[in-house]
Amino acid sequence: MTIGALGQATGVGAETIRYYERIELLPQPARTSGGYRVYRPEHVRRLNFIRRSRELGLSIEAVRELLSLASDRLRPCARVDRLVRDHIHDLDHKIESLQKLRGALQRLADSCRGGGRVSECRILEALQEAEETLAGPAIECGQEDCQERRASEKQPKPRRERRA
Amino acid sequence: MTIGALGQATGVGAETIRYYERIELLPQPARTSGGYRVYRPEHVRRLNFIRRSRELGLSIEAVRELLSLASDRLRPCARVDRLVRDHIHDLDHKIESLQKLRGALQRLADSCRGGGRVSECRILEALQEAEETLAGPAIECGQEDCQERRASEKQPKPRRERRA
DNA sequence: CTAGACCTTGTAGCCACTACAGGGTCAAGC
DNA sequence: GCTTGACCCTGTAGTGGCTACAAGGTCTAG
């Protein structure tokens, strides 16, 4: 089957398939004499595996590891379990973050009924002014290595005060 | 104040500040004779506004619009209200999506206790096989223009069947 | 043989930064 | 005035996970 047929079979676009090949998530397929990629049923299975994992929000690297784990049938599957549980944990953090954000925004929105002028808009005021009223520790992050980017105690070295 | 001092005052890194200037979210500041950027208190206010908005998950473009709206004090603030409410709506979608993902992953993880071998791992089986058991409509998206990328009824034109 | 659907490679773009290289500036202390 | 070294400058490239395009080549029904 051609790349287009593989795409139809799996619901993955041809450009994405080529991308997966480039990053070595999919093996290089055979080629026709004219250079077309020729795929086989095992490619369909592998790509479906990838697609489902991605739909579950696993990163490409996680998928890569799962694929590698899956290739050794005798290996204990504890690592697989761990990987999935870690991702659930990440999701919990992310969901919690978003819920906090939502709460803050809702409080913001509730302070405004949209009828006034910008000059007395509570939303804009809140964004301009107080520090503590909104947005607790919730920062939308996206990456896992999100730790303490808001580490305000980070003072590299006490320079010889060049004040403001 | 220099860019470093502005960064300290707002909790935004110097490289990010330069980035904001480049995309015209911050106005170009004055310069010293040596070329250093010189910031003033209004820059601190504007950058704090930006930072808080970003912490609430608003996109750069949304922040840009808020800033533009805020500059005209006589304008009705309905648009501000709308912008924030739209974002809350987006967050609701995103949270719901993530919760569905989490459910699917939890079901996956529950089918495995991590004690067996890869060859009988239910997680890997589930990823390899059935279509309906997992992952309903939940795809993590990130962008707002996320509509129907999984639109499986997208059939561009009926080619003269080059079957698989 | 032609039409045109499909494929090829390569490159650039998306978001919101972040990191670096290679150099220049500034002020404190001598 | 000179050294030191923290700080700043510009420009470019990288992140993740694709997506879009351009310019061309291949394949097959009719």
Side-chain angles (χ1 to χ4, degrees), chain A residues 117-119, chain B residues 67-76:
Chain A
R117 302 270 153 192
V118 158
S119 57
Chain B
L67 281 165
S68 141
L69 291 172
S71 72
D72 179 356
R73 298 177 54 76
L74 292 181
R75 191 199 310 254

PDB file of all heavy atoms in Angstrom, chain A residues 117-119, chain B residues 67-76:
ATOM      1  N   ARG A 117     -17.600  51.066  31.053  1.00  0.00           N
ATOM      2  CA  ARG A 117     -16.545  51.543  30.159  1.00  0.00           C
ATOM      3  C   ARG A 117     -15.226  50.921  30.601  1.00  0.00           C
ATOM      4  O   ARG A 117     -15.079  50.511  31.742  1.00  0.00           O
ATOM      5  CB  ARG A 117     -16.420  53.073  30.262  1.00  0.00           C
ATOM      6  CG  ARG A 117     -17.682  53.819  29.945  1.00  0.00           C
ATOM      7  CD  ARG A 117     -17.775  54.154  28.471  1.00  0.00           C
ATOM      8  NE  ARG A 117     -19.197  54.264  28.093  1.00  0.00           N
ATOM      9  CZ  ARG A 117     -19.611  54.311  26.829  1.00  0.00           C
ATOM     10  NH1 ARG A 117     -18.734  54.269  25.834  1.00  0.00           N
ATOM     11  NH2 ARG A 117     -20.884  54.385  26.544  1.00  0.00           N
ATOM     12  N   VAL A 118     -14.298  50.944  29.705  1.00  0.00           N
ATOM     13  CA  VAL A 118     -12.985  50.398  29.981  1.00  0.00           C
ATOM     14  C   VAL A 118     -12.359  51.058  31.212  1.00  0.00           C
ATOM     15  O   VAL A 118     -11.685  50.417  32.009  1.00  0.00           O
ATOM     16  CB  VAL A 118     -12.082  50.568  28.738  1.00  0.00           C
ATOM     17  CG1 VAL A 118     -10.616  50.533  29.118  1.00  0.00           C
ATOM     18  CG2 VAL A 118     -12.391  49.462  27.731  1.00  0.00           C
ATOM     19  N   SER A 119     -12.637  52.339  31.365  1.00  0.00           N
ATOM     20  CA  SER A 119     -12.008  53.072  32.465  1.00  0.00           C
ATOM     21  C   SER A 119     -12.391  52.515  33.833  1.00  0.00           C
ATOM     22  O   SER A 119     -11.659  52.673  34.792  1.00  0.00           O
ATOM     23  CB  SER A 119     -12.360  54.555  32.388  1.00  0.00           C
ATOM     24  OG  SER A 119     -13.766  54.712  32.405  1.00  0.00           O
TER      25      SER A 119
ATOM     26  N   LEU B  67      -4.589  44.758  25.724  1.00  0.00           N
ATOM     27  CA  LEU B  67      -3.787  45.974  25.888  1.00  0.00           C
ATOM     28  C   LEU B  67      -4.332  47.094  25.017  1.00  0.00           C
ATOM     29  O   LEU B  67      -4.402  48.252  25.445  1.00  0.00           O
ATOM     30  CB  LEU B  67      -2.328  45.684  25.516  1.00  0.00           C
ATOM     31  CG  LEU B  67      -1.521  44.961  26.594  1.00  0.00           C
ATOM     32  CD1 LEU B  67      -0.232  44.409  26.016  1.00  0.00           C
ATOM     33  CD2 LEU B  67      -1.237  45.894  27.757  1.00  0.00           C
ATOM     34  N   SER B  68      -4.710  46.720  23.820  1.00  0.00           N
ATOM     35  CA  SER B  68      -5.249  47.728  22.922  1.00  0.00           C
ATOM     36  C   SER B  68      -6.593  48.257  23.449  1.00  0.00           C
ATOM     37  O   SER B  68      -6.868  49.453  23.425  1.00  0.00           O
ATOM     38  CB  SER B  68      -5.378  47.130  21.522  1.00  0.00           C
ATOM     39  OG  SER B  68      -6.553  47.566  20.900  1.00  0.00           O
ATOM     40  N   LEU B  69      -7.411  47.338  23.976  1.00  0.00           N
ATOM     41  CA  LEU B  69      -8.698  47.757  24.536  1.00  0.00           C
ATOM     42  C   LEU B  69      -8.489  48.667  25.738  1.00  0.00           C
ATOM     43  O   LEU B  69      -9.187  49.672  25.905  1.00  0.00           O
ATOM     44  CB  LEU B  69      -9.496  46.527  24.980  1.00  0.00           C
ATOM     45  CG  LEU B  69     -10.019  45.618  23.864  1.00  0.00           C
ATOM     46  CD1 LEU B  69     -10.621  44.354  24.446  1.00  0.00           C
ATOM     47  CD2 LEU B  69     -11.041  46.357  23.017  1.00  0.00           C
ATOM     48  N   ALA B  70      -7.499  48.300  26.557  1.00  0.00           N
ATOM     49  CA  ALA B  70      -7.283  49.049  27.790  1.00  0.00           C
ATOM     50  C   ALA B  70      -6.821  50.473  27.519  1.00  0.00           C
ATOM     51  O   ALA B  70      -6.945  51.344  28.377  1.00  0.00           O
ATOM     52  CB  ALA B  70      -6.257  48.331  28.663  1.00  0.00           C
ATOM     53  N   SER B  71      -6.303  50.695  26.332  1.00  0.00           N
ATOM     54  CA  SER B  71      -5.738  52.013  26.053  1.00  0.00           C
ATOM     55  C   SER B  71      -6.807  53.059  25.765  1.00  0.00           C
ATOM     56  O   SER B  71      -6.533  54.249  25.822  1.00  0.00           O
ATOM     57  CB  SER B  71      -4.792  51.914  24.858  1.00  0.00           C
ATOM     58  OG  SER B  71      -5.541  51.725  23.679  1.00  0.00           O
ATOM     59  N   ASP B  72      -7.998  52.607  25.483  1.00  0.00           N
ATOM     60  CA  ASP B  72      -9.067  53.566  25.204  1.00  0.00           C
ATOM     61  C   ASP B  72     -10.086  53.508  26.338  1.00  0.00           C
ATOM     62  O   ASP B  72     -10.985  52.671  26.356  1.00  0.00           O
ATOM     63  CB  ASP B  72      -9.730  53.225  23.868  1.00  0.00           C
ATOM     64  CG  ASP B  72     -10.857  54.197  23.552  1.00  0.00           C
ATOM     65  OD1 ASP B  72     -11.167  55.062  24.398  1.00  0.00           O
ATOM     66  OD2 ASP B  72     -11.437  54.081  22.464  1.00  0.00           O
ATOM     67  N   ARG B  73      -9.944  54.426  27.252  1.00  0.00           N
ATOM     68  CA  ARG B  73     -10.709  54.329  28.499  1.00  0.00           C
ATOM     69  C   ARG B  73     -12.203  54.564  28.315  1.00  0.00           C
ATOM     70  O   ARG B  73     -13.004  54.235  29.188  1.00  0.00           O
ATOM     71  CB  ARG B  73     -10.145  55.324  29.527  1.00  0.00           C
ATOM     72  CG  ARG B  73      -8.684  55.019  29.890  1.00  0.00           C
ATOM     73  CD  ARG B  73      -8.103  56.053  30.855  1.00  0.00           C
ATOM     74  NE  ARG B  73      -8.886  56.237  32.060  1.00  0.00           N
ATOM     75  CZ  ARG B  73      -8.897  55.387  33.087  1.00  0.00           C
ATOM     76  NH1 ARG B  73      -8.173  54.297  33.028  1.00  0.00           N
ATOM     77  NH2 ARG B  73      -9.634  55.631  34.152  1.00  0.00           N
ATOM     78  N   LEU B  74     -12.595  55.110  27.198  1.00  0.00           N
ATOM     79  CA  LEU B  74     -14.020  55.402  27.003  1.00  0.00           C
ATOM     80  C   LEU B  74     -14.766  54.274  26.296  1.00  0.00           C
ATOM     81  O   LEU B  74     -15.987  54.258  26.250  1.00  0.00           O
ATOM     82  CB  LEU B  74     -14.173  56.699  26.204  1.00  0.00           C
ATOM     83  CG  LEU B  74     -13.729  57.943  26.987  1.00  0.00           C
ATOM     84  CD1 LEU B  74     -13.926  59.187  26.141  1.00  0.00           C
ATOM     85  CD2 LEU B  74     -14.515  58.042  28.295  1.00  0.00           C
ATOM     86  N   ARG B  75     -14.009  53.362  25.736  1.00  0.00           N
ATOM     87  CA  ARG B  75     -14.620  52.253  25.013  1.00  0.00           C
ATOM     88  C   ARG B  75     -15.413  51.376  25.996  1.00  0.00           C
ATOM     89  O   ARG B  75     -15.008  51.181  27.129  1.00  0.00           O
ATOM     90  CB  ARG B  75     -13.508  51.428  24.366  1.00  0.00           C
ATOM     91  CG  ARG B  75     -13.953  50.391  23.376  1.00  0.00           C
ATOM     92  CD  ARG B  75     -12.866  49.370  23.173  1.00  0.00           C
ATOM     93  NE  ARG B  75     -11.586  49.992  22.909  1.00  0.00           N
ATOM     94  CZ  ARG B  75     -11.018  50.024  21.704  1.00  0.00           C
ATOM     95  NH1 ARG B  75     -11.622  49.484  20.669  1.00  0.00           N
ATOM     96  NH2 ARG B  75      -9.834  50.573  21.560  1.00  0.00           N
ATOM     97  N   PRO B  76     -16.556  50.856  25.583  1.00  0.00           N
ATOM     98  CA  PRO B  76     -17.259  49.917  26.464  1.00  0.00           C
ATOM     99  C   PRO B  76     -16.424  48.660  26.670  1.00  0.00           C
ATOM    100  O   PRO B  76     -15.722  48.223  25.759  1.00  0.00           O
ATOM    101  CB  PRO B  76     -18.540  49.594  25.703  1.00  0.00           C
ATOM    102  CG  PRO B  76     -18.335  50.067  24.318  1.00  0.00           C
ATOM    103  CD  PRO B  76     -17.290  51.133  24.357  1.00  0.00           C
TER     104      PRO B  76
END
